Amino acid sequence: MEQEAPDLCVFPPQPGHDDDEETVQIPVNQERARRVDALYEALPLVERRVVQAEYTRRADYGDLPAHLRQDKACRVIGITLPYYKVALGSFKQQVWRAFK
């Protein structure tokens, strides 16, 4: 989040919706983004890479279904699939708890 924060998040078209003329634009909630970023920054590097593979670098794994993408990401990161799933689940729980 060191870069200038955007006002809107623009998401690419979802598979099967290539004919949509408008991209989805959702206003960025800066306060919530900072809170999630703080949780992310507190993670060990390997767990940050899990979060990246699952969210911000998903395109690096093509159009693979989730289970194949996760398997490939594990090999790239150098961890086991159970650890990947635990790290991802733990981060999701931390985010949920932060917004209760």
Side-chain angles (χ1 to χ4, degrees), residues 9-81:
C9 266
V10 179
F11 296 94
Q14 294 296 311
H17 297 274
D18 295 331
D19 56 346
D20 290 348
E21 292 181 18
E22 285 188 39
T23 56
V24 177
Q25 296 185 347
I26 300 173
V28 174
N29 184 318
Q30 298 295 334
E31 176 197 343
R32 287 177 174 251
R34 281 193 230 11
R35 289 171 68 186
V36 172
D37 187 60
L39 293 172
Y40 170 80
E41 291 293 330
L43 294 174
L45 180 59
V46 69
E47 293 182 18
R48 286 185 194 184
R49 293 192 65 203
V50 169
V51 172
Q52 291 169 6
E54 199 63 25
Y55 297 105
T56 61
R57 299 186 64 96
R58 187 176 266 189
D60 293 356
Y61 300 96
D63 272 344
L64 294 174
H67 70 285
L68 294 177
R69 182 185 69 250
Q70 291 175 353
D71 185 56
K72 184 175 178 181
C74 287
R75 285 183 272 127
V76 169
I77 297 169
I79 60 174
T80 64
L81 184 58

